[in-house]
Amino acid sequence: MENLIDRFGEAWLLAGVGCIVGILFGMAAYHSRFCLRAATVEVTQGSLGPRLVVWLIAFFAALASVQGLLLTGLVDLSAARQLSTTGSLSGAMIGGFVFGSGMILARGCVSRLLVLSASGNLRAIVTGLVVVLVAQASLSGVLAPLRERLAMSWTISGGETRNIANAVGVDAGIVTLLSTFFLIGALIWGARQKLAISQLVAAFLVGLAVCTGWFLTAKIAAASFEVIAVQSVTFTGPSTDTLMALVGSREIPLTFGFGLVVGVFLGALIFAIASGEARIQRFEPDVPMERYIFGGAMMGFGSMLAGGCAVGAGLTGGSVLAVTAWLAVLFMWIGALVTQRVLEAAVFARAKAG
């Protein structure tokens, strides 16, 4: 790794690593149809089907592989933001609920919007722009004071207290064993759901992309004399930074996040073209544009308050057992399930009245 740093420099190496991880994630997410929103809709409708299986495979693949890395001592992730800094329990709960609700209204989480954008989905592009604009306003703009007040309502200090394993008294070996067991179970369940082998593999690769991001950035951080953030796959922050750099700077900073966003778009685009699914898709008459915009705004604010999106908290933060990440994804599920129920009840009421 030292030789690569000397040859390319930290910035180019981080961007390149991010791009590689992004291509892997983009191709795998596109083919597997990985989407937290789709999984929650299945659960709401009482059908524990393929979309839920795909999400579970990706989740447990990320958890098992990352905890396996920690067990073998190949990396040290204690400096990761999800574990080392002060976290917000109130932000995780409120932000997670808001994000989950917005995800249903926008018909996709942030990662899914980026993947769909690459295939020519104009709904995803417009909604994604709303997400990043509101996220920026929540980070440092007009919505920042509200986010800060909500986040500071209930906090938890960084370090061992943010790690679930420490709280319950288990080590990485037990977590790796249990998550591997559940991963195998999810793969068997997927086979019984008649998912193609390629989709099962792709779902596994979604989780593996998270592990790869952690591993490579940790290795770069350990070998560099500069302060390098140990990080992995997340989308709201990197997408916001990329857009703000495009419109407000003459040069785009080379970071892992920038490479990740570009890589995911390229990976999804390659797979969409190869599968013949790339085509322009516009807003549908039965789902008004304002619903997507409102949902996107909720995701932008919710993800910044929760400390991550469905992938950034659900898979990446979850894989290192950050308590705030698990709490955030739990409330994303709750927000999504509640909102989907409300929408279904509204549709039923209109049909009954008509």
Side-chain angles (χ1 to χ4, degrees):
M1 191 60 72
E2 290 87 350
N3 292 334
L4 291 175
I5 292 175
D6 291 338
R7 182 174 182 180
F8 300 105
E10 286 89 348
W12 278 102
L13 186 57
L14 281 169
V17 164
C19 189
I20 292 171
V21 172
I23 290 174
L24 173 62
F25 184 97
M27 296 183 71
Y30 188 93
H31 184 57
S32 65
R33 301 296 193 265
F34 170 79
C35 179
L36 177 58
R37 175 254 174 191
T40 58
V41 170
E42 278 190 344
V43 173
T44 305
Q45 297 174 343
S47 172
L48 306 183
R51 300 284 73 80
L52 175 61
V53 174
V54 165
W55 190 85
L56 290 174
I57 292 172
F59 177 82
F60 286 117
L63 181 59
S65 57
V66 171
Q67 291 300 309
L69 281 181
L70 297 176
L71 178 64
T72 57
L74 290 175
V75 295
D76 178 13
L77 301 180
S78 60
R81 171 184 60 83
Q82 292 87 340
L83 294 174
S84 62
T85 60
T86 299
S88 172
L89 298 176
S90 57
M93 292 186 289
I94 300 171
F97 189 93
V98 171
F99 183 96
S101 182
M103 179 178 66
I104 293 296
L105 295 176
R107 303 182 71 177
C109 65
V110 181
S111 65
R112 186 62 179 163
L113 294 178
L114 180 58
V115 168
L116 290 177
S117 296
S119 68
N121 191 313
L122 299 181
R123 302 189 304 270
I125 293 174
V126 172
T127 307
L129 289 173
V130 173
V131 171
V132 298
L133 289 173
V134 174
Q136 183 63 31
S138 304
L139 177 64
S140 59
V142 67
L143 295 176
L146 174 60
R147 175 187 61 80
E148 291 168 356
R149 282 197 296 271
L150 293 174
M152 293 303 295
S153 297
W154 188 12
T155 62
I156 182 173
S157 60
E160 293 185 357
T161 55
R162 286 196 69 177
N163 191 313
I164 296 175
N166 293 328
V168 299
V170 299
D171 59 18
I174 297 297
V175 178
T176 302
L177 181 63
L178 289 175
S179 54
T180 301
F181 174 78
F182 285 117
L183 172 61
I184 294 172
L187 288 167
I188 294 173
W189 186 11
R192 291 181 176 177
Q193 290 281 338
K194 301 189 184 304
L195 280 169
I197 296 297
S198 61
Q199 286 184 288
L200 296 177
V201 172
F204 176 83
L205 290 177
V206 169
L208 190 62
V210 171
C211 179
T212 304
W214 280 127
F215 177 76
L216 292 177
T217 59
K219 287 299 183 183
I220 295 173
S224 176
F225 290 107
E226 303 293 331
V227 178
I228 303 294
V230 180
Q231 57 192 305
S232 189
V233 182
T234 188
F235 290 103
T236 307
S239 298
T240 302
D241 292 341
T242 300
L243 179 62
M244 292 301 104
L246 286 173
V247 300
S249 175
R250 291 177 178 268
E251 296 182 2
I252 298 177
L254 294 175
T255 63
F256 175 84
F258 170 72
L260 177 71
V261 171
V262 173
V264 171
F265 189 89
L266 288 176
L269 177 62
I270 291 169
F271 213 99
I273 294 174
S275 60
E277 297 178 358
R279 65 184 186 278
I280 299 298
Q281 299 179 61
R282 299 174 176 83
F283 286 94
E284 301 169 357
D286 59 329
V287 182
M289 181 178 181
E290 54 268 27
R291 173 175 152 178
Y292 287 92
I293 293 175
F294 188 62
M298 293 178 70
M299 284 197 292
F301 181 78
S303 59
M304 283 300 176
L305 178 58
C309 60
V311 173
L315 268 63
T316 299
S319 67
V320 294
L321 298 179
V323 62
T324 48
W326 280 63
L327 195 59
V329 78
L330 170 63
F331 276 81
M332 287 177 190
W333 272 89
I334 294 173
L337 293 174
V338 169
T339 304
Q340 182 64 23
R341 283 289 190 188
V342 171
L343 292 178
E344 290 177 357
V347 170
F348 178 77
R350 286 197 299 269
K352 187 176 180 180

